[in-house]
Amino acid sequence: MRRILLASAAIAAFAGTAQAETVLKWGANRDIGSLDPYSYGDSFTINVLNHVYEGLVRYNRDLKIEPALATSWEILEDQITWRFTLREDVTFHNGNPFTAEDVVASLERVSHETSPLKGNLPAYVSAAVVDTHTVDVTLNGTYPLLLNDLTNIHIFDKEWMTEHDALLPTDIGAGTEGYATYNANGTGPFVVESRQPDAKTVFVVNPDWWDEAQHNLDRIELTPVTSAATRVAALLSGEINFTNDAPVQDLPRLAAAPDVQVLEGVDLRTVMIGFPFRETLSTGAPNPFSKREVREALYRAIDLDLIHQRVMRGKSRIAGATVAPEIPGYVEALDTVPGFDPDAARTALAEAGVPEGLEFEFNCLSDGLVNEEQVCQAIASMWSRIGLAPKLDVAPRAVQTPKRTGGTTDVYTLGWATLPMLDAYSPLLQIFHTKEGNSGVFNWGGWSFPELDALVQAAGSELDVEKRLSLETEALQIVKDQHIMIPLHQQPMAWAVTGEVAEMPLFPDNKPRLWFARVTPDA
């Protein structure tokens, strides 16, 4: 009997070991907006869904471009057609084979006039099937950054989209939903098992992934924990074992905890303030922000050092340029600030005819940038001291996005990390260019500078790297001279993991790539 009991115990122990799961419990500061990666130009949502969907190419551990669903590519003799050879024996999560038809349908969907992400393929004209595993992509001219763009263009299953009437994009900002909003079917390393918006989204490993897995995860549980204090408590208690948003004010406490490791860096994302250029404000009053001297006055009224020290706990990097130093196109000469001078700011406003006590909306996100609400509160207070009356409007992204894209708010915050392009051409085209076609998608202020547009367009077709970067720098000089937007800082990047997370690479673009993560299995 004793031998039988011992044998039974051994079998039970073996079964328990065999069934042990490696689970990454990810506590994020917010939820993804949709299961449709094309639904909004939001880096977080696109990044999370990159675990489910894949592009033709991707960034590797060193942020260098490598093959993904495409194995090779070449530029044809006309210099505007790129031919991609596709990976064979790849299947979508529902078992459908991956073919050239899927690539064409996906490119048509993301570049559609109603797509919020159409600006992510600025040079795209059309795509055509050559054969089952070959696609030709035609551009509007010579263009050096197509591969960079394609790292974030996820490929859908055409048959699945057709079956569920999902060939057209959805749009969070416009309130347009569809089957892809709540369902997913990619080729990536993880499959969506379940989703409860604003509660939990569960991903399980894809056993049929075409690539050799470097991770050891069975499940990823993404839980939005919007409260910083609650997120820290959840990490310390083990309720979550990873967060990509460790609050800067709690980093000393987390670093002192025996079972927590803090991973720190400075994000590529530049936090900026944008202005409306239309004739009137949301109040109906004349809009003074279209004047350069008024924008400069508001810039001078912001104590960037105080925000850096008090709000960001010394973890940010004060920025004078709209792109980070690591981004091609950046030059140190543009990375200067005018200096904090509230008296000069008040005088400049009076000389520009800005009435004392001018009211305007200051639109900020409660679930956006690092300590965004506190940053906005500090800036609103500083502007109040020079005689303005900003009305602080803080709400979740889902509430604020329609106001921003619809041009119904006034001053607003914006963070831009140049993703996925990792080049200054990204903000120049999508933010600072006149809003037309695929350009100026995030030009929510409605500005237009023809000289700047010409430089951006020239850079977009210049194949010589040095010449292209020189054109981008000239364009960034106009952005700075005109104070089109006010750069504040590159925000701090702080992740934290518990001891059971054995490997979690920290990337400078602040994107968790969990197909590189490793977790100790549950006992």
Side-chain angles (χ1 to χ4, degrees):
M1 179 64 70
R2 184 172 180 272
R3 286 197 299 269
I4 292 173
L5 291 173
L6 288 172
S8 299
I11 292 171
F14 176 79
T17 302
Q19 293 172 6
E21 278 196 317
T22 54
V23 182
L24 190 79
K25 295 172 284 188
W26 182 359
N29 75 327
R30 61 187 175 91
D31 197 10
I32 57 176
S34 167
L35 285 180
D36 185 348
Y38 296 174
S39 60
Y40 181 59
D42 168 37
S43 299
F44 178 71
T45 295
I46 295 171
N47 167 233
V48 171
L49 294 176
N50 206 177
H51 294 79
V52 177
Y53 291 97
E54 298 176 289
L56 296 180
V57 293
R58 67 187 181 191
Y59 287 115
N60 64 14
R61 276 181 180 254
D62 300 317
L63 295 188
K64 304 297 183 185
I65 293 173
E66 67 178 10
L69 293 181
T71 56
S72 62
W73 47 87
E74 61 177 324
I75 301 176
L76 302 185
E77 289 184 7
D78 64 5
Q79 295 294 299
I80 63 171
T81 302
W82 293 55
R83 176 160 292 175
F84 291 86
T85 300
L86 306 182
R87 193 174 299 277
E88 299 185 23
D89 299 321
V90 174
T91 58
F92 287 94
H93 296 158
N94 66 353
N96 286 345
F98 163 65
T99 70
E101 294 280 358
D102 304 312
V103 176
V104 172
S106 298
L107 295 179
E108 289 177 348
R109 186 177 191 267
V110 74
S111 63
H112 192 272
E113 61 180 7
T114 62
S115 168
L117 255 66
K118 59 180 181 291
N120 280 14
L121 275 182
Y124 175 82
V125 174
S126 63
V129 172
V130 177
D131 59 40
T132 304
H133 290 96
T134 310
V135 171
D136 281 352
V137 177
T138 301
L139 308 181
N140 58 13
T142 55
Y143 179 63
L145 295 168
L146 178 63
L147 295 180
N148 302 59
D149 295 341
L150 289 174
T151 59
N152 251 26
I153 303 300
H154 300 324
I155 302 304
F156 280 70
D157 174 10
K158 181 182 179 180
E159 182 179 339
W160 180 82
M161 288 195 295
T162 302
E163 178 185 355
H164 298 291
D165 192 25
L167 287 169
L168 294 179
T170 61
D171 184 346
I172 292 175
T176 305
E177 297 185 342
Y179 188 78
T181 304
Y182 301 101
N183 300 274
N185 179 37
T187 59
F190 296 93
V191 179
V192 176
E193 180 185 76
S194 62
R195 172 160 169 75
Q196 296 174 280
D198 299 319
K200 181 179 286 189
T201 304
V202 177
F203 308 88
V204 295
V205 68
N206 175 13
D208 300 318
W209 191 33
W210 58 269
D211 201 4
E212 182 178 349
Q214 296 185 48
H215 69 88
N216 73 336
L217 304 180
D218 293 311
R219 296 167 64 84
I220 300 170
E221 297 176 355
L222 175 66
T223 304
V225 187
T226 56
S227 164
T230 304
R231 201 159 56 250
V232 169
L235 191 73
L236 293 173
S237 69
E239 185 179 346
I240 62 174
N241 55 19
F242 165 60
T243 180
N244 65 315
D245 188 10
V248 293
Q249 61 269 23
D250 291 308
L251 294 184
R253 179 186 175 198
L254 290 173
D259 194 42
V260 174
Q261 181 183 3
V262 175
L263 310 172
E264 288 190 75
V266 177
D267 198 346
L268 297 176
R269 186 174 307 278
T270 301
V271 177
M272 299 173 275
I273 302 291
F275 299 95
F277 277 53
R278 60 182 185 272
E279 291 186 5
T280 60
L281 298 174
S282 58
T283 61
N287 175 25
F289 299 122
S290 58
K291 299 178 181 179
R292 178 198 174 280
E293 59 268 29
V294 173
R295 299 192 297 275
E296 182 176 359
L298 268 69
Y299 198 174
R300 287 187 176 277
I302 299 175
D303 189 340
L304 295 173
D305 188 63
L306 184 65
I307 292 174
H308 169 69
Q309 294 295 341
R310 297 280 183 85
V311 181
M312 309 309 288
R313 305 302 200 276
K315 301 289 187 178
S316 60
R317 177 189 176 276
I318 294 175
T322 51
V323 293
E326 298 87 349
I327 301 300
Y330 167 92
V331 293
E332 188 175 359
L334 296 182
D335 200 3
T336 59
V337 298
F340 175 55
D341 193 339
D343 292 335
R346 180 183 283 274
T347 299
L349 290 180
E351 292 175 350
V354 178
E356 184 82 12
L358 176 74
E359 294 184 359
F360 60 91
E361 284 191 3
F362 184 17
N363 183 291
C364 300
L365 305 180
S366 61
D367 57 355
L369 304 163
V370 175
N371 286 357
E372 180 171 349
E373 186 169 353
Q374 296 94 314
V375 169
C376 290
Q377 288 171 344
I379 292 175
S381 176
M382 294 169 189
W383 284 342
S384 296
R385 292 171 193 160
I386 61 169
L388 300 174
K391 179 184 177 184
L392 194 56
D393 176 21
V394 181
R397 183 180 302 269
V399 175
Q400 303 296 59
T401 296
K403 300 177 188 177
R404 296 175 173 211
T405 58
T408 59
T409 192
D410 298 325
V411 182
Y412 56 89
T413 54
L414 178 66
W416 200 265
T418 77
L419 304 177
M421 194 178 288
L422 296 180
D423 191 277
Y425 185 69
S426 168
L428 286 170
L429 181 73
Q430 296 214 49
I431 301 174
F432 299 116
H433 193 285
T434 301
K435 189 176 183 66
E436 54 186 15
N438 287 353
S439 305
V441 175
F442 289 82
N443 180 345
W444 295 332
W447 48 74
S448 181
F449 295 87
E451 182 184 357
L452 187 153
D453 292 350
L455 289 168
V456 175
Q457 291 161 13
S461 61
E462 179 55 65
L463 297 179
D464 182 279
V465 174
E466 292 304 317
K467 290 181 179 178
R468 177 173 61 80
L469 296 181
S470 177
L471 290 166
E472 291 177 5
T473 299
E474 284 188 63
L476 289 172
Q477 181 73 60
I478 295 175
V479 171
K480 184 173 185 64
D481 291 344
Q482 293 294 329
H483 301 301
I484 299 176
M485 298 191 80
I486 295 176
L488 303 176
H489 53 247
Q490 276 89 46
Q491 65 181 14
M493 177 172 58
W495 300 0
V497 296
T498 63
E500 62 187 326
V501 179
E503 185 173 2
M504 178 62 69
L506 179 70
F507 292 91
D509 61 0
N510 204 13
K511 283 188 169 186
R513 293 172 171 84
L514 301 181
W515 51 89
F516 295 124
R518 300 186 70 81
V519 171
T520 303
D522 293 335

